[in-house]
Amino acid sequence: MKQHEFWFVVGSQFLYGPEVLETVAQRAQEMADELSKALPFPLIYKVTAKTNKEIADVVKEANHDDACAGIITWCHTFSPSKMWINGFVDLQKPYCHFATQYNQSIPNEEIDMDFMNLNQAAHGDREHGFIAARLRMPRKIIAGYWKDKAVQERIGSWMKAAVGVAVSRSMRVMRFGDNMREVAVTEGDKVEVQAKLGWQVNTWAVGDLVKEMNAVTEAEIDALMEVYKANYDIATDNVGAIRYQAREEIAIKKMMDAEGCKAFSNTFQDLYGMEQLPGLASQHLMAQGYGYGGEGDWKVSAMTAIMKAMGEGGNGCSLFMEDYTYNLVEEAEYSLGAHMLEVCPCCAAGKPRIETHHLGIGMNEKDPARLVFEGKEGDAIVVSLIDMGGRLRLICQDIHCVKPILPMPNLPVARVMWQAEPSLTTGVECWITAGGAHHTVLSYDVTAEQMKDWCAMMDIEFVHITKDTTVDGLEHDLFLSDLAWKLR
């Protein structure tokens, strides 16, 4: 994955003389260097901006530099905010206002007017903040001492959300066939999504994939089989089914890489010329960072790839998921998530097994191989991006993944079990009230705050279901939100 970077732009003015500006530049460089050691991406000190032109120029440069994923500003002193207007109006990258100061404490003996001239962030940040509020800019405001670990973690979290924006704006999705017939929630306005989120969503014929599959060599399959053996336990004698999945994976990857796509979708209703629905093939591609959506769900496909890129190391534990069935026993209420074949092994609690079983749905001629495993325990979120007609809404719910309470020996799919906030039934009522889809992205790595930041950067609606959410409260919030978005 290409290395992203963030630019550090310091606000100042000429009022306090060249010596102050030289000191500020030295301190800004020191802060950027030290922060870069703690942050997930480099922070590059660019300029101590003192004029409208300097600000407009650095913004123009940031907008056209693909490596720059966002800017972080800090005003060491009073930086007159009118000179930020032209740059801010043109800014196309995510923006974080870092309200900090170089010194941690007020020095009793040293403080004089020279010290005050050099250390007026408390003054400058308010002037700087006003103009962004006046311009109604999407922004993240983080206040605190720049050496504090908690502050650095918040900046790092915001950076990952900003990387999600960069990935979104270059996202290309390869669809094999259309979405499942008669399904509403997997539909959507692809033109609006490209204008809003940057996604290019197009269709490739299944016949083109079959042609690519036929060109895969036995040597290529042999090499991928060794990768499978190193990462997974082989629990089937049907080696031919595994090799067929390898053939599918190699062909899909070649087609996506040739077109610059990072996500794909397919449907069991359109497998013409193929023997098996890609199961193991889709799972192993997701393990490599590609996004996937079943039944032609291109929205969840792209969101999976984006959230993977936002996670730890640029390919975090985010995965395509579906609520399948509930355990409604009192005091033991759980949701069982799975899919026919395609759950990413990044969430596996143990070493996944490759198994072959009959799939009695779709156009399968032969039994497809797939990875079977239990999902790991831990706090997580599930998110669903839906098209509300005229706007996009991202629904996010807090969940707690648990070790499945039943072994389910006859369920031949990967599975994850979780408790939903605020409870299973209230959570279901809230999810349905908001219009959440049956397909989601489940993430152990990406947080609700990061998804809220991502939505603010992309200018789309964010709905969060938490331990404190009630159906009545959510209905009221959705009503007000609907009015607000119609007035925008």
Side-chain angles (χ1 to χ4, degrees), residues 3 7 15 115 197 207 227 250 304 333 361 385-386 396 414 456 479:
Q3 178 67 61
W7 290 3
L15 185 63
F115 179 92
L197 305 181
V227 176
I250 292 165
T304 302
E333 296 181 331
I361 188 171
L385 180 72
I386 60 172
C396 175
F479 174 74

Side-chain angles (χ1 to χ4, degrees), residues 51 83 108-111 145 179 221 252 256 278 284 328 342 355 377 482:
T51 66
M83 68 185 184
N108 182 54
E109 298 294 333
E110 297 175 26
I111 189 167
Y145 186 50
N179 61 304
I221 295 173
I252 294 169
M256 283 198 291
H284 192 244
L328 291 172
E342 313 96 344
E355 300 182 6
E377 300 177 65
D482 191 46

